[in-house]
Amino acid sequence: MVLPVLSRIGRSLLVVLLVTMAVVLLMSLAPGSAAEVILGEAATPEAVAALNAKLGLDQPLWAQYLNWLGDAVRGDLGESPVTGQPVTEAIVERLPVTLQLAVMALLLALVVSVLLAVASAVRPNSLVDRAINAVSSVFLSVPAFIAGPLLIYVFALQLGWFPVTGWSRLSDGIGPNLLGALLPAIAIALTEIAAFHRVLRADLIGTLREDFVGAARAKGMSGAYVMLRHALRPSSFSLVTLAGINLGRLIGGTVIVESLFALPGLGQLLATSIVTRDVVTVQGVVAFIAVVYVGVNTAVDLSYRLIDPRIRKVATA
Amino acid sequence: MIRSRRFPAAVAACLGALVLAACGGSPSAGNSGEPVGDPVAGGTANVIQIGEPRSLDPASLSNAWVLNAFLGNALYGTLLTNDSRTGELRYNLAESFGTRDNGATFDLKLREGLEFTDGTPLNAEAVKFNWDRFKDPQLGSTTMQEASMIASTEVVDARTLKITMVEPVPNFAWAVVTTSLNWVASPKALQAGRDSFDAEPVGAGPYTLDQWTRQDRIELVKNPGYWDAPKPYLDRITLRAAADPTQRINTMISGGADLSIETNWTILAKAEESGLQTDVVPLNGGQYVVMNMRKAPFDDVRARRAIAAALDLRAMDAVVYSGKGKLVPSLFTDSSRFHTGQRLATQDKDEAQRLFDELAADGKRVSFTFTTFPTPENRSVAEAVQAQLSAFRNVSVEVKTVDLTETARLHLTHDFEMMVSSAHFADPEPRLWTAFHSGSRANMSGIADERLDAALDAGRTATTLEDRKAAYRTVQERLIELVPGVFYTRTSPSVMAAQNIHGITQYGQGSLLPEELWIQE
């Protein structure tokens, strides 16, 4: 039991290492440097070289990476050469925004998708099911950079229900905070709703064909009771797994929505840092996102071993 | 439509031996109404700026509307400003700024009893510290070029700083008004280091920093010890950044902000259609497609003239600014005292084709790459040029998009053939010299013409208005003759604001003064 778990964690750490190495390599391929961004149009070659030396950007790539890695394993993700802010502090400052967006989007997606999936699964291939599938297809095929502006136009500009941009902190009041977060959360949730709906619908339809459901019906239980008590719970396994994995993905995947709504989250930090060639911040944020994503996946994988004894047996065999 | 507020063209005699020639700014335009009644104190304004600063150090901020000028004015106040209607200099933290020797030296005298918000004195020593610091190339100051015009500074007494120039520059006040030289921060706070300064910047401006959450908001709170009480009128200002013009206008229309800095003609037109007030400082010069004269094909003046004759600037305006931009018929606006009516290039398709054919016959077919940054405006200009020139024979254009971080490299290496640049100014000094003098590092076209250089030098050092007018007449002649670029729109340093915002006052190149703003309930 211990060896497979350690092996899984080891593989996860390797993934994080490879991701951060890839970031350094990719950033080194991009033209320009943080020194050029800092010095701007007035930069002279001498000043750029001197600042590069001061920031340690004149060292070979592998040396820069190893230095960063050495500090990172001790919990120090470095300091942004562009803003002077410690990267850990920047992440801590922005994480609540991204986390709230991701959690809100996920909860929204779960609630809506469960309702739609139940409605679909009651009578598969009925008019209602086909209509819901069509809506689900639309949600799945509309990316956030289309859905975002559409939502802004309708609900913020035309109806005036939500702010167009900006973020209200919880300290400003729960009302303004939720109002500012809801529209971006909906923009993120749309594709999740579609994906969740499809997974749960398929599982529900399968479960509803099981003998124990037929037996429950034969006992005279109502359709709604059978659906909620007997069919929904055993059908939710895939959905819960998917939701868990998607939470990890969403923490690093809200770049577009955060940019569209000018929200000060991790995605916005990452996008700005890439533009300013702030390798230290990009490395730090990507490493953090990779750790979260890989961590969630690893936890899900490991939880299978706890839940399902068959996996444990296969692994030990 | 932007309605211009016309004012008498210029203040007459604007130069004297002791008074600087700082007049001559263009009048403001827009639809902002005059303030209704007396200013009302109190309230919080939500303001949108275009970008967030990297640091609050005055050396990192830039006194241009598009780059945190409002924030710099809020934290540090201003030594000098100009009335954008009359061009007249106004003294704020400075009591006077003058020269007795036609710009070889200047005396800056500060008001009495000025203090930074940390209680240290804002004296001549503090100004010397700030201005000397701007010259350090390692600092990457946005004002290095203008600060380098100063040879040395000497503290005469607590309130007086003597400035000795590298060469006489009678109009040096314009360099102060339009750059970070206008902002003085506490030397003690600056010496404490960047992190400490960004957490608690210390100036003597109308506002102090309450909180800065990067990429979210900058909270400013009224400085109760501001020298010009009862200003500032607003209790608090919340600044947010929105680089996307659509985000800015949408936020304004939905009431998410009270005022926004703006830089796009299309958005300004939309703001007016939506009932917002706008205020524009229509500068001379503008945006232009610069042709690199250092290499082929634009080392041949015929190629540059052919491009200028080929381009339909009105059609370009329709594409880039939905027809809402302002064309640049001549270098100076009608209201400038340097306006002579000398017209820049106009479209002549036949002449353009003749020149393209002639060059091809000489084995110099015009083929070039338009280097563009990935902003929608830049790309639209590049694609419009490419599309328009495709209608001609013997000319071909490639469009190459480069990242914004390439800016420094392009300025350094001049590794381009055509790109978008700007040369906008209220007074031609110092920007026109910087843009077109062969000795300037920011001379993007690489134009090197003895007569032009001499005229730009004469415009810089002349002590009478007539001499300056004569010098800038020659400058225009040479630019029209040599065609280093094609101006396609005036720049639009501007603000858009809700109707209950009053006291909108811009100086220099669209630098908004926060202490003048007030809200009518």
Side-chain angles (χ1 to χ4, degrees), chain A residues 38 43 82 165 259-260 272, chain B residues 54 194 215 217 247 251 441:
Chain A
I38 292 165
V82 178
T165 55
S259 298
L260 275 174
T272 312
Chain B
R54 286 198 306 275
R194 179 179 166 178
Q215 292 184 342
R217 65 182 89 169
Q247 264 180 1
T251 306
R441 284 190 59 236

Side-chain angles (χ1 to χ4, degrees), chain A residues 132-157:
Chain A
I132 290 173
N133 277 339
V135 171
S136 165
S137 297
V138 171
F139 284 1
L140 202 60
S141 54
V142 176
F145 61 84
I146 301 286
L150 276 174
L151 290 168
I152 290 172
Y153 179 75
V154 176
F155 295 102
L157 287 176

